[in-house]
Amino acid sequence: MKYRKGFKYQLAEAEMFHTEFTADKDIVTKFCTLFADGIMVLQEGFAWDGPSGPVLDRKTNMKASALHDALYRMMRRGDIDYRRWREADLEFAKQLKLDGAWSITIWIDMKGLAIANGAAANPKNIAEILEV
């Protein structure tokens, strides 16, 4: 059996996001699709770890964390240039605002992402495949 560690949540149904993160062409993977016009669809079964760091998992940040994880995952896979991590971070902030997060919370989260400097988007940091 082969698996990856680190997932905490899994979508029970597909979720669609309207983003400003556009691509030259549609990018289709098993669990997420980024259309050239910026529409992102996370498929049922998409798994992610929720918000990172000391941030509590709340209703106001779950969608943003799923969207952000999907974009970073596409970057680690090489589907999107990982140097676009700042754009993904901005989409995270926009989704937080849409979902009612407090301005101070968004500011703190963005400071944390700035400190991380896009490291999780770098293809060198793709999750190891484990085997038992």
Side-chain angles (χ1 to χ4, degrees):
M1 175 172 79
K2 295 181 181 182
Y3 65 98
R4 289 187 176 94
K5 295 189 327 185
F7 300 116
K8 196 158 120 179
Y9 301 105
Q10 189 173 29
L11 287 181
E13 61 185 21
E15 187 69 35
M16 182 174 66
F17 299 86
H18 296 271
T19 78
E20 294 178 25
F21 198 104
T22 59
D24 293 333
K25 61 179 181 171
D26 296 349
I27 301 168
V28 180
T29 71
K30 184 175 181 178
F31 289 108
C32 53
T33 301
L34 176 63
F35 293 97
D37 64 2
I39 300 292
M40 168 71 87
V41 177
L42 304 182
Q43 299 300 330
E44 177 182 339
F46 176 82
W48 79 107
D49 63 354
S52 299
V55 179
L56 298 174
D57 296 1
R58 298 177 183 204
K59 289 181 181 181
T60 56
N61 61 18
M62 293 305 288
K63 287 175 72 173
S65 69
L67 171 63
H68 192 255
D69 277 17
L71 289 170
Y72 267 36
R73 192 174 302 166
M74 287 180 155
M75 291 177 195
R76 283 191 305 273
R77 289 171 36 99
D79 300 322
I80 300 171
D81 185 340
Y82 79 93
R83 292 172 293 187
R84 295 182 67 190
W85 63 268
R86 285 183 187 87
E87 293 174 65
D89 292 358
L90 290 174
E91 289 300 332
F92 173 75
K94 289 175 198 169
Q95 188 63 51
L96 286 173
K97 186 173 182 174
L98 284 172
D99 290 340
W102 295 338
S103 296
I104 187 68
T105 303
I106 297 169
W107 183 83
I108 291 168
D109 288 353
M110 293 304 288
K111 287 295 177 188
L113 288 171
I115 290 168
N117 203 30
N122 192 317
K124 294 178 184 175
N125 294 321
I126 198 160
E128 177 185 5
I129 297 175
L130 305 170
E131 189 170 1
V132 293

